[in-house]
Amino acid sequence: MNRVDYRLNAIIDGALRPLGNLAEMAGIAARNGATIIQYRDKEASTRQMIAEAEAIRAALAGTGVPLVVNDRVDVALAAGADGVHIGRDDMDAATARRLLGPAAIIGLTVKNEADADAAIAAPIDYACIGGVFETLSKKNPDPPVGLEGFRVLRARIRAAKPELPVGAIAGIDTARAGEVVQAGASGVAVISAIFRAADIAGAAREMRAAVDNAGDRP
């Protein structure tokens, strides 16, 4: 397992394009506390996604912050990203690992106990549980698991893979960041709280501080 610093996963989404240059925004987050950048785009063509991922990777140069691509193993390979984040409907983790190699970062979404068991069995480097709270960033057919649901899924994974970083996603602001870390999260994944803020750098610093100050992370 590759050691991943999952304290602050800043997700740069294609839907944010009207707000500014995605690569520049990702670079600002990386220089102000984000420990991993995830590029997600549900609308762009494959060609556009590769170009965007390459631009984001260039913007992260020198920061030491890795880039993972949501869903798309092909885009990650073509753009030279550090890895992928995959969900239940995407390529399975074992196949992604075979294609990307042992050094790639592979993350997995967990929404229920079956997903948690899949994460335990899969060759992954981190898991992310969610949605924990309601989100405005995408349509989510699954109801939020809430803090208690998060604790249950987190405990299930920890019992089998105590060293695996496990994050929390959906509806997380600075106050909730502290709550989920105290509930067992290694860190948080956020979109709006950073990239829809008037001051991206300040928002990233505040979110990172909220995670770091919430107590001992797993």
Side-chain angles (χ1 to χ4, degrees):
M1 186 175 77
N2 300 301
R3 188 65 187 166
V4 175
D5 183 346
Y6 200 81
R7 283 177 290 174
L8 180 51
N9 176 9
I11 302 177
I12 187 79
D13 193 291
L16 298 164
R17 206 167 269 113
L19 301 180
N21 180 284
L22 297 189
E24 291 178 4
M25 294 162 72
I28 291 170
R31 291 190 296 274
N32 287 279
T35 56
I36 186 168
I37 297 290
Q38 182 177 330
Y39 167 49
R40 184 174 80 182
D41 204 325
K42 302 294 187 181
E43 304 296 332
S45 68
T46 298
R47 185 182 293 268
Q48 287 174 306
M49 283 192 71
I50 292 169
E52 193 75 77
E54 288 176 336
I56 294 170
R57 184 168 64 88
L60 300 184
T63 66
V65 176
L67 168 66
V68 297
V69 177
N70 192 72
D71 297 349
R72 299 289 298 274
V73 174
D74 58 335
V75 172
L77 273 169
D82 297 286
V84 292
H85 181 94
I86 50 182
R88 61 175 65 158
D89 297 324
D90 302 319
M91 184 182 294
D92 68 275
T95 303
R97 174 65 70 201
R98 178 166 55 80
L99 291 171
L100 294 171
I105 296 170
I106 298 180
L108 193 64
T109 296
V110 171
K111 297 184 177 184
N112 52 41
E113 290 187 353
D115 291 344
D117 291 342
I120 289 166
I124 60 172
D125 303 294
Y126 71 85
C128 190
I129 296 173
V132 179
F133 306 105
E134 291 283 356
T135 178
L136 300 176
S137 297
K138 67 172 184 176
K139 293 177 182 177
N140 192 350
D142 301 292
V145 300
L147 276 176
E148 188 52 39
F150 176 87
R151 286 190 187 95
V152 170
L153 294 171
R154 177 68 181 101
R156 193 179 185 95
I157 296 171
R158 180 187 278 135
K161 279 188 170 179
E163 299 302 315
L164 186 73
V166 176
I169 190 170
I172 295 173
D173 56 19
T174 52
R176 284 173 162 177
E179 291 177 358
V180 293
V181 171
Q182 289 168 356
S186 307
V188 297
V190 296
I191 303 174
S192 299
I194 289 178
F195 293 118
R196 293 191 183 278
D199 176 8
I200 292 173
R205 288 194 297 268
E206 287 181 14
M207 188 66 70
R208 171 66 181 274
V211 171
D212 288 347
N213 295 335
D216 294 334
R217 290 180 316 279

